[in-house]
Amino acid sequence: EDQVTQSPEALRLQEGESSSLNCSYTVSGLRGLFWYRQDPGKGPEFLFTLYSAGEEKEKERLKATLTKKESFLHITAPKPEDSATYLCAVCGGSNYKLTFGKGTLLTVNP
Amino acid sequence: NAGVTQTPKFQVLKTGQSMTLQCAQDMNHNSMYWYRQDPGMGLRLIYYSASEGTTDKGEVPNGYNVSRLNKREFSLRLESAAPSQTSVYFCASSGTGKITLHFGNGTRLTVT
């Protein structure tokens, strides 16, 4: 059974204070690891897909990295508009079903 | 681009009442999914449809039924609502051979 654990559950940063969110996973045959952003009252919004260990992807102030056991979402010089819940998910085996973690609630104070 | 549209946005039911949550996508995606999101539980898959005419159970299917009406539409039905079904329900879709999900903005359901 695929499992995803995200840490910390909540993170409060000052504007400009860089940090990282962690996603640890166990999966049989990783087909993809996903990062989503979710704003209050909205559905998850796709950010990145990582397929193999060593892969990195960037978008504005966000950078996602992947190892065989975990993924990190690095946030560089965050702004208040980066405040959201960040979800990690994995897809493994031969199916198309994603298993999600519980998310990290990020708050960036001005 | 509308993407994935869910109706209604909010609903309050009494225990035992029935209702259908509607979902439609305009991205010509083959696969569609229903998830529920509860505090402290994360997103959990209820049912999915890999293609038109097929449906399969996910992690938490009990108390729900689904219908893949056509390629665009995938509905979720609660035959006899229970307070444990109070949740936020998200519909999602993905393209052929793709595993990236595109989500709607959810239906917030309260069962009293």
Coordinates of all heavy atoms in Angstrom, one line a residue, chain B residues 28-92:
Chain B
N28 N -11.7 17.1 -22.5 CA -11.7 15.9 -23.3 C -10.8 14.8 -22.6 O -10.2 14.0 -23.3 CB -11.1 16.1 -24.7 CG -11.5 15.0 -25.7 OD1 -12.6 14.5 -25.6 ND2 -10.6 14.7 -26.6
H29 N -10.9 14.8 -21.3 CA -10.1 13.8 -20.5 C -10.9 12.5 -20.5 O -12.1 12.4 -20.4 CB -9.9 14.3 -19.1 CG -8.8 15.3 -19.0 ND1 -8.6 16.0 -17.9 CD2 -7.9 15.7 -19.9 CE1 -7.5 16.8 -18.1 NE2 -7.1 16.7 -19.3
N30 N -10.1 11.4 -20.5 CA -10.8 10.0 -20.4 C -11.1 9.6 -19.0 O -12.1 9.0 -18.7 CB -9.8 9.0 -21.0 CG -10.0 8.8 -22.5 OD1 -11.0 9.3 -23.1 ND2 -9.0 8.3 -23.1
S31 N -10.2 10.0 -18.0 CA -10.4 9.5 -16.7 C -11.0 10.5 -15.8 O -10.6 11.7 -15.9 CB -9.0 9.0 -16.1 OG -8.5 8.0 -16.9
M32 N -11.8 10.1 -14.8 CA -12.4 11.0 -13.9 C -12.5 10.4 -12.5 O -12.5 9.1 -12.4 CB -13.8 11.4 -14.3 CG -13.8 12.2 -15.7 SD -15.4 12.9 -16.2 CE -15.6 14.2 -15.0
Y33 N -12.5 11.2 -11.5 CA -12.3 10.7 -10.1 C -13.2 11.5 -9.1 O -13.4 12.7 -9.4 CB -10.8 10.9 -9.6 CG -9.8 10.4 -10.6 CD1 -9.4 11.0 -11.8 CD2 -9.1 9.2 -10.3 CE1 -8.5 10.6 -12.6 CE2 -8.2 8.7 -11.2 CZ -7.8 9.4 -12.3 OH -6.9 8.9 -13.2
W34 N -13.6 10.8 -8.1 CA -14.2 11.5 -6.9 C -13.4 11.2 -5.7 O -13.1 10.1 -5.3 CB -15.6 11.0 -6.7 CG -16.6 11.6 -7.6 CD1 -17.3 11.1 -8.7 CD2 -17.2 12.9 -7.4 NE1 -18.1 12.0 -9.2 CE2 -18.1 13.1 -8.5 CE3 -17.0 14.0 -6.5 CZ2 -18.8 14.3 -8.6 CZ3 -17.7 15.1 -6.7 CH2 -18.6 15.3 -7.7
Y35 N -13.0 12.4 -5.0 CA -12.3 12.3 -3.7 C -13.1 13.0 -2.7 O -13.9 13.9 -3.0 CB -11.0 13.1 -3.8 CG -9.9 12.3 -4.6 CD1 -9.7 12.4 -5.9 CD2 -8.9 11.6 -3.8 CE1 -8.7 11.7 -6.6 CE2 -7.9 11.0 -4.5 CZ -7.8 11.0 -5.8 OH -6.7 10.3 -6.5
R36 N -12.9 12.6 -1.4 CA -13.4 13.4 -0.3 C -12.2 13.9 0.5 O -11.2 13.2 0.6 CB -14.4 12.6 0.5 CG -13.9 11.4 1.2 CD -14.9 10.7 2.1 NE -15.2 11.5 3.3 CZ -16.2 11.2 4.2 NH1 -17.0 10.1 3.9 NH2 -16.3 11.9 5.3
Q37 N -12.4 15.1 1.1 CA -11.3 15.7 1.9 C -11.9 16.0 3.3 O -12.8 16.8 3.4 CB -10.8 16.9 1.3 CG -9.5 17.5 2.0 CD -8.9 18.7 1.2 OE1 -9.6 19.5 0.7 NE2 -7.6 18.7 1.1
D38 N -11.3 15.4 4.3 CA -11.7 15.6 5.7 C -10.5 16.2 6.5 O -9.4 15.8 6.2 CB -12.2 14.3 6.3 CG -13.3 13.7 5.5 OD1 -14.4 14.3 5.6 OD2 -13.1 12.7 4.9
P39 N -10.8 17.0 7.5 CA -9.7 17.5 8.3 C -8.8 16.4 8.9 O -9.4 15.5 9.5 CB -10.4 18.3 9.4 CG -11.7 18.7 8.8 CD -12.1 17.5 7.9
G40 N -7.5 16.5 8.7 CA -6.6 15.5 9.3 C -6.6 14.2 8.6 O -5.8 13.3 9.0
M41 N -7.3 14.1 7.5 CA -7.3 12.8 6.7 C -6.7 12.9 5.3 O -6.4 11.9 4.7 CB -8.8 12.3 6.6 CG -9.4 12.0 7.9 SD -8.6 10.6 8.8 CE -9.1 9.3 7.7
G42 N -6.6 14.1 4.8 CA -6.1 14.2 3.5 C -7.2 13.8 2.5 O -8.4 13.5 2.8
L43 N -6.9 13.8 1.2 CA -7.8 13.4 0.1 C -7.8 11.9 0.0 O -6.8 11.3 -0.1 CB -7.3 14.0 -1.2 CG -7.6 15.5 -1.4 CD1 -6.6 16.1 -2.4 CD2 -9.0 15.7 -1.9
R44 N -9.0 11.4 0.0 CA -9.2 9.9 -0.2 C -10.1 9.6 -1.4 O -11.2 10.2 -1.5 CB -9.8 9.3 1.1 CG -8.9 9.4 2.3 CD -9.5 8.8 3.5 NE -10.6 9.6 4.0 CZ -11.5 9.1 4.9 NH1 -11.4 7.9 5.5 NH2 -12.5 9.9 5.3
L45 N -9.7 8.7 -2.2 CA -10.4 8.3 -3.4 C -11.7 7.5 -3.1 O -11.6 6.5 -2.4 CB -9.5 7.5 -4.3 CG -10.0 7.1 -5.7 CD1 -10.3 8.4 -6.5 CD2 -9.0 6.2 -6.4
I46 N -12.8 8.0 -3.6 CA -14.1 7.3 -3.4 C -14.3 6.3 -4.6 O -14.5 5.1 -4.4 CB -15.2 8.3 -3.3 CG1 -15.0 9.3 -2.2 CG2 -16.5 7.5 -3.0 CD1 -16.0 10.4 -2.2
Y47 N -14.4 6.8 -5.8 CA -14.6 6.0 -7.0 C -13.8 6.7 -8.1 O -13.5 7.9 -8.1 CB -16.0 6.0 -7.4 CG -16.9 4.9 -6.9 CD1 -17.6 5.1 -5.7 CD2 -16.9 3.7 -7.5 CE1 -18.4 4.0 -5.2 CE2 -17.7 2.6 -7.0 CZ -18.4 2.8 -5.8 OH -19.2 1.8 -5.3
Y48 N -13.5 5.9 -9.1 CA -12.9 6.5 -10.3 C -13.4 5.8 -11.6 O -13.9 4.7 -11.5 CB -11.3 6.5 -10.3 CG -10.7 5.1 -10.4 CD1 -10.1 4.7 -11.6 CD2 -10.7 4.3 -9.3 CE1 -9.5 3.5 -11.7 CE2 -10.1 3.1 -9.4 CZ -9.5 2.7 -10.6 OH -8.9 1.4 -10.7
S49 N -13.2 6.5 -12.7 CA -13.7 6.0 -14.0 C -12.5 6.2 -14.9 O -12.2 7.3 -15.3 CB -14.9 6.7 -14.5 OG -15.2 6.4 -15.8
A50 N -11.9 5.1 -15.3 CA -10.7 5.1 -16.2 C -11.1 5.6 -17.6 O -10.3 6.2 -18.3 CB -10.0 3.8 -16.2
S51 N -12.3 5.2 -18.0 CA -12.8 5.7 -19.3 C -14.3 5.6 -19.3 O -14.9 5.0 -18.4 CB -12.2 4.8 -20.4 OG -12.6 3.4 -20.2
E52 N -14.9 6.1 -20.4 CA -16.3 6.1 -20.5 C -16.8 4.7 -20.4 O -16.3 3.8 -21.1 CB -16.7 6.8 -21.8 CG -18.2 7.0 -21.9 CD -18.6 7.7 -23.2 OE1 -17.6 8.2 -23.9 OE2 -19.8 7.9 -23.5
G53 N -17.8 4.4 -19.6 CA -18.4 3.1 -19.5 C -17.8 2.2 -18.4 O -18.3 1.1 -18.2
T54 N -16.8 2.7 -17.7 CA -16.2 1.9 -16.7 C -16.1 2.7 -15.4 O -15.8 3.9 -15.4 CB -14.7 1.4 -17.0 OG1 -13.9 2.6 -17.1 CG2 -14.7 0.8 -18.4
T55 N -16.3 2.0 -14.3 CA -16.1 2.6 -12.9 C -15.5 1.6 -12.0 O -15.7 0.4 -12.2 CB -17.4 3.1 -12.3 OG1 -18.3 2.0 -12.2 CG2 -18.1 4.2 -13.2
D56 N -14.7 2.1 -11.0 CA -14.1 1.2 -10.1 C -14.1 1.8 -8.7 O -14.0 3.1 -8.6 CB -12.6 0.9 -10.5 CG -12.6 -0.1 -11.6 OD1 -12.9 -1.3 -11.3 OD2 -12.2 0.3 -12.7
K57 N -14.1 1.0 -7.7 CA -14.1 1.5 -6.3 C -12.7 2.0 -5.9 O -11.7 1.4 -6.4 CB -14.5 0.4 -5.3 CG -15.9 -0.1 -5.5 CD -16.2 -1.2 -4.5 CE -17.7 -1.7 -4.7 NZ -18.0 -2.8 -3.8
G58 N -12.7 3.0 -5.1 CA -11.4 3.5 -4.6 C -11.2 3.1 -3.1 O -11.7 2.0 -2.8
E59 N -10.7 3.9 -2.3 CA -10.4 3.6 -0.9 C -11.6 3.6 0.0 O -11.7 2.8 0.9 CB -9.3 4.6 -0.4 CG -8.8 4.4 1.0 CD -7.9 5.5 1.4 OE1 -7.6 6.4 0.6 OE2 -7.5 5.5 2.6
V60 N -12.5 4.5 -0.2 CA -13.7 4.6 0.7 C -15.0 4.7 -0.1 O -15.7 5.7 -0.1 CB -13.5 5.9 1.5 CG1 -12.5 5.7 2.6 CG2 -13.2 7.1 0.7
P61 N -15.4 3.6 -0.8 CA -16.6 3.6 -1.6 C -18.0 3.4 -0.9 O -19.0 3.7 -1.5 CB -16.4 2.4 -2.6 CG -15.6 1.5 -1.7 CD -14.7 2.3 -0.8
N62 N -17.9 2.9 0.3 CA -19.2 2.5 1.0 C -20.1 3.7 1.2 O -19.7 4.8 1.7 CB -18.9 1.9 2.4 CG -18.2 0.5 2.2 OD1 -18.3 -0.1 1.1 ND2 -17.6 0.0 3.3
G63 N -21.4 3.6 0.8 CA -22.4 4.6 1.0 C -22.5 5.5 -0.3 O -23.3 6.4 -0.3
Y64 N -21.7 5.2 -1.3 CA -21.7 6.0 -2.5 C -22.0 5.1 -3.8 O -21.6 4.0 -3.8 CB -20.4 6.7 -2.7 CG -20.0 7.6 -1.5 CD1 -19.1 7.1 -0.6 CD2 -20.4 8.9 -1.4 CE1 -18.7 7.8 0.5 CE2 -20.0 9.7 -0.3 CZ -19.1 9.1 0.6 OH -18.7 9.9 1.7
N65 N -22.6 5.8 -4.8 CA -22.6 5.2 -6.1 C -22.2 6.2 -7.1 O -22.3 7.4 -6.8 CB -24.1 4.7 -6.4 CG -24.4 3.4 -5.6 OD1 -23.7 2.4 -5.8 ND2 -25.4 3.5 -4.8
V66 N -21.7 5.8 -8.3 CA -21.3 6.7 -9.3 C -21.9 6.3 -10.6 O -22.3 5.2 -10.8 CB -19.8 6.8 -9.4 CG1 -19.2 7.4 -8.2 CG2 -19.2 5.4 -9.7
S67 N -22.0 7.3 -11.5 CA -22.4 7.1 -12.9 C -21.5 7.9 -13.8 O -21.4 9.1 -13.6 CB -23.9 7.5 -13.1 OG -24.7 6.7 -12.3
R68 N -20.9 7.2 -14.8 CA -20.2 7.9 -15.8 C -21.2 8.1 -17.0 O -21.4 7.3 -17.8 CB -19.0 7.2 -16.3 CG -18.1 7.9 -17.3 CD -17.3 9.0 -16.7 NE -16.6 9.8 -17.7 CZ -15.3 9.5 -18.0 NH1 -14.6 8.5 -17.4 NH2 -14.7 10.3 -18.8
L69 N -21.8 9.3 -17.0 CA -22.9 9.5 -17.9 C -22.5 9.6 -19.4 O -23.2 9.1 -20.3 CB -23.6 10.8 -17.5 CG -24.1 10.9 -16.0 CD1 -24.5 12.3 -15.7 CD2 -25.2 9.8 -15.8
N70 N -21.3 10.2 -19.6 CA -20.7 10.3 -20.9 C -19.2 10.7 -20.7 O -18.8 10.7 -19.5 CB -21.4 11.3 -21.8 CG -21.7 12.6 -21.1 OD1 -20.7 13.2 -20.6 ND2 -22.9 13.0 -21.0
K71 N -18.5 11.0 -21.7 CA -17.1 11.3 -21.5 C -16.9 12.5 -20.6 O -15.9 12.6 -19.9 CB -16.4 11.5 -22.8 CG -14.9 11.6 -22.7 CD -14.2 11.6 -24.1 CE -12.7 11.6 -23.9 NZ -12.0 11.5 -25.2
R72 N -17.8 13.5 -20.6 CA -17.7 14.7 -19.9 C -18.1 14.7 -18.5 O -17.6 15.4 -17.6 CB -18.5 15.8 -20.6 CG -18.0 16.3 -21.9 CD -18.8 17.5 -22.4 NE -18.7 18.6 -21.5 CZ -19.7 19.1 -20.8 NH1 -20.9 18.5 -20.7 NH2 -19.5 20.2 -20.0
E73 N -19.1 13.8 -18.2 CA -19.8 13.9 -16.9 C -19.6 12.6 -16.0 O -19.8 11.5 -16.5 CB -21.3 14.2 -17.1 CG -21.5 15.5 -17.9 CD -23.0 15.6 -18.2 OE1 -23.5 14.9 -19.1 OE2 -23.7 16.5 -17.6
F74 N -19.4 12.9 -14.7 CA -19.2 11.8 -13.8 C -19.9 12.2 -12.5 O -19.5 13.2 -11.8 CB -17.7 11.6 -13.5 CG -17.4 10.4 -12.7 CD1 -18.1 9.2 -12.8 CD2 -16.3 10.4 -11.9 CE1 -17.7 8.1 -12.1 CE2 -15.9 9.3 -11.1 CZ -16.6 8.1 -11.3
S75 N -21.0 11.5 -12.1 CA -21.8 12.0 -10.9 C -21.6 11.0 -9.8 O -21.3 9.8 -9.9 CB -23.3 12.0 -11.3 OG -23.8 10.8 -11.6
L76 N -21.8 11.6 -8.6 CA -21.6 10.8 -7.3 C -22.9 10.9 -6.6 O -23.4 12.0 -6.3 CB -20.5 11.4 -6.5 CG -20.2 10.8 -5.1 CD1 -19.6 9.4 -5.3 CD2 -19.3 11.7 -4.2
R77 N -23.5 9.8 -6.2 CA -24.8 9.7 -5.5 C -24.7 9.2 -4.1 O -24.0 8.2 -3.9 CB -25.8 8.9 -6.3 CG -27.2 8.9 -5.7 CD -28.3 8.5 -6.7 NE -29.6 8.5 -6.0 CZ -30.4 9.6 -5.9 NH1 -30.0 10.8 -6.3 NH2 -31.5 9.5 -5.3
L78 N -25.3 9.9 -3.2 CA -25.5 9.4 -1.8 C -27.0 9.0 -1.7 O -27.9 9.8 -1.8 CB -25.2 10.5 -0.8 CG -23.7 10.9 -0.6 CD1 -23.2 11.7 -1.8 CD2 -23.6 11.8 0.6
E79 N -27.2 7.7 -1.5 CA -28.6 7.2 -1.5 C -29.3 7.5 -0.2 O -30.4 7.8 -0.1 CB -28.6 5.7 -1.7 CG -28.2 5.3 -3.1 CD -29.3 5.7 -4.2 OE1 -30.4 6.1 -3.8 OE2 -29.0 5.5 -5.4
S80 N -28.5 7.4 0.9 CA -29.1 7.7 2.3 C -28.0 8.3 3.1 O -27.2 7.6 3.7 CB -29.6 6.4 2.9 OG -30.1 6.6 4.2
A81 N -28.0 9.6 3.1 CA -26.8 10.4 3.7 C -26.7 10.1 5.2 O -27.7 10.0 5.9 CB -27.0 11.9 3.4
A82 N -25.5 10.1 5.6 CA -25.2 9.9 7.1 C -24.2 11.0 7.5 O -23.5 11.6 6.7 CB -24.5 8.5 7.3
P83 N -24.3 11.4 8.8 CA -23.4 12.5 9.3 C -21.9 12.2 9.0 O -21.1 13.2 8.7 CB -23.6 12.5 10.8 CG -25.1 12.0 10.9 CD -25.2 10.9 9.8
S84 N -21.5 10.9 8.9 CA -20.1 10.6 8.6 C -19.7 11.0 7.1 O -18.5 11.0 6.8 CB -19.8 9.1 8.7 OG -20.7 8.4 7.9
Q85 N -20.7 11.3 6.3 CA -20.5 11.7 4.9 C -20.3 13.3 4.8 O -20.2 13.8 3.7 CB -21.5 11.2 4.0 CG -21.5 9.7 3.9 CD -22.6 9.1 3.0 OE1 -23.8 9.4 3.2 NE2 -22.2 8.3 2.0
T86 N -20.4 14.0 5.9 CA -20.1 15.4 6.0 C -18.6 15.6 5.6 O -17.7 15.0 6.2 CB -20.3 16.0 7.4 OG1 -21.7 15.9 7.7 CG2 -19.8 17.4 7.4
S87 N -18.4 16.3 4.5 CA -17.1 16.4 3.9 C -17.0 17.4 2.8 O -18.1 18.0 2.4 CB -16.6 15.0 3.4 OG -15.3 15.0 3.0
V88 N -15.9 17.6 2.2 CA -15.7 18.4 1.0 C -15.4 17.4 -0.1 O -14.5 16.6 0.0 CB -14.7 19.4 1.1 CG1 -14.6 20.2 -0.2 CG2 -14.9 20.4 2.2
Y89 N -16.2 17.4 -1.1 CA -16.1 16.4 -2.2 C -15.4 17.1 -3.5 O -15.9 18.1 -3.9 CB -17.4 15.8 -2.6 CG -18.0 14.9 -1.5 CD1 -18.7 15.5 -0.4 CD2 -17.7 13.6 -1.5 CE1 -19.2 14.7 0.6 CE2 -18.2 12.8 -0.5 CZ -18.9 13.3 0.6 OH -19.4 12.5 1.6
F90 N -14.4 16.5 -4.0 CA -13.7 17.0 -5.1 C -13.8 16.0 -6.3 O -13.5 14.8 -6.1 CB -12.2 17.3 -4.8 CG -12.0 18.5 -4.0 CD1 -11.8 18.3 -2.6 CD2 -12.1 19.7 -4.5 CE1 -11.6 19.4 -1.8 CE2 -11.9 20.9 -3.7 CZ -11.6 20.7 -2.3
C91 N -14.1 16.5 -7.4 CA -14.0 15.8 -8.7 C -12.7 16.2 -9.4 O -12.3 17.3 -9.3 CB -15.2 16.1 -9.5 SG -15.3 15.3 -11.2
A92 N -12.1 15.2 -10.1 CA -10.9 15.5 -10.8 C -10.9 14.7 -12.1 O -11.7 13.7 -12.3 CB -9.7 15.1 -10.0

